[in-house]
Amino acid sequence: MLDVSECIAKSALERHESRGGHTREDFPTMDPNWRGVNLVCRLTPGTDDIGLSHKPVPTIRPDLLALFDRHELEKYMTAPELIVLDNPQTPSANSGEKA
């Protein structure tokens, strides 16, 4: 449990924004640059140290995103992201096919 607690603390200090239930007084707003970043903690081989790295967030499929209540998504997505969500591209534009 101590390792998990250390991961949470390191990740919280690394992320310079507030989003959903994860808020910081020194960074009170969402930052769209952080939306695409996962913070991953791993034990460094041969040591007791926990390393932190940035990894890209996979894109959520539109059919899965549609399962979420929009009001809940407002806690985690920025205004520009919500505009894209409200005005999705046509399926033919997403698939690369010509209409």
Side-chain angles (χ1 to χ4, degrees):
M1 287 184 4
L2 287 174
D3 288 341
V4 172
S5 298
E6 184 175 343
C7 288
I8 292 169
K10 283 186 172 191
S11 296
L13 290 171
E14 180 76 10
R15 187 174 292 278
H16 297 166
E17 71 157 359
S18 291
R19 187 178 300 267
H22 304 277
T23 59
R24 291 183 59 163
E25 290 182 10
D26 51 346
F27 298 99
T29 60
M30 285 189 279
D31 179 349
N33 296 321
W34 276 106
R35 178 78 169 92
V37 177
N38 270 337
L39 297 173
V40 178
C41 290
R42 289 207 171 115
L43 285 172
T44 305
T47 72
D48 290 334
D49 294 333
I50 295 176
L52 183 71
S53 60
H54 294 214
K55 301 289 182 185
V57 173
T59 303
I60 300 173
R61 293 184 352 220
D63 60 323
L64 296 178
L65 197 56
L67 298 173
F68 291 92
D69 179 60
R70 189 183 190 290
H71 179 68
E72 284 298 312
L73 292 175
E74 290 172 357
K75 297 176 188 176
Y76 304 99
M77 298 178 82
T78 62
E81 291 173 313
L82 290 168
I83 290 171
V84 171
L85 178 67
D86 292 338
N87 301 299
Q89 295 178 336
T90 61
S92 61
N94 286 333
S95 65
E97 298 174 9
K98 297 190 179 194

